[in-house]
Amino acid sequence: LLSLGTGTTSEFDKTYTAEETAKWGAIQWMLVIQRVTDAASSYMTDYYLSTVFQAQNSQKNYLRVQENALTGTTTEMDDASEANMESLVQVGENLLKKPVSKDNPETYEEALKRFAKLLSDRKKLRANKASY
């Protein structure tokens, strides 16, 4: 399973003071709650799927690709400007160089190549079985 995330902002876990939040209106609260909910959903999806694959001793068959430190306009889902698209390409290129996790020093680039080979090998195996 190749799980592609849309990214999360690095600010979802930002702390706020009581004085700061006392001045917030409904919209500010909604924005903060949405960021936290989106990030939590992403983390829970990864945790759940990772746990299922580990329980089946198939963790090599699961790869989650997700940038968890988006900043600036890259966090805006409705910004399709050329400048933002270029920024997102750069985010993706930088992500390829990062390790998959603390427990897995393999870079995303290496993991994606390994995963592509795994999928290709399985497709060839299915094609060979079908020809018999």
Side-chain angles (χ1 to χ4, degrees):
L1 174 65
L2 178 60
S3 176
L4 300 176
T6 58
T8 61
T9 177
S10 59
E11 299 171 354
F12 83 92
D13 61 352
K14 181 179 175 186
T15 57
Y16 302 95
T17 66
E19 294 166 346
E20 200 176 0
T21 59
K23 300 172 189 170
W24 289 358
I27 292 176
Q28 182 64 33
W29 277 107
M30 182 182 72
L31 293 173
V32 170
I33 290 169
Q34 181 182 3
R35 279 196 302 264
V36 170
T37 303
D38 289 347
S41 174
S42 176
Y43 284 117
M44 288 308 299
T45 298
D46 181 35
Y47 176 78
Y48 175 74
L49 290 171
S50 178
T51 301
V52 168
F53 277 85
Q54 286 176 16
Q56 298 296 319
N57 201 24
S58 299
Q59 53 268 36
K60 290 286 186 184
N61 294 331
Y62 171 68
L63 177 61
R64 172 78 172 169
V65 179
Q66 168 90 334
E67 174 56 72
N68 292 314
L70 294 176
T71 58
T73 60
T74 61
T75 64
E76 303 297 324
M77 294 184 127
D78 61 349
D79 184 351
S81 67
E82 189 171 334
N84 198 44
M85 293 295 108
E86 289 173 10
S87 295
L88 288 168
V89 166
Q90 189 61 50
V91 166
E93 289 173 354
N94 292 341
L95 182 61
L96 287 173
K97 296 174 181 76
K98 290 183 178 181
V100 171
S101 69
K102 293 175 186 173
D103 301 328
N104 182 358
E106 181 180 43
T107 66
Y108 278 105
E109 182 174 16
E110 294 164 340
L112 285 166
K113 286 178 182 178
R114 175 184 53 78
F115 212 76
K117 181 168 180 3
L118 176 70
L119 292 173
S120 175
D121 290 348
R122 288 192 179 174
K123 183 178 179 183
K124 289 174 188 173
L125 181 64
R126 283 193 309 274
N128 286 340
K129 285 182 179 180
S131 66
Y132 287 113

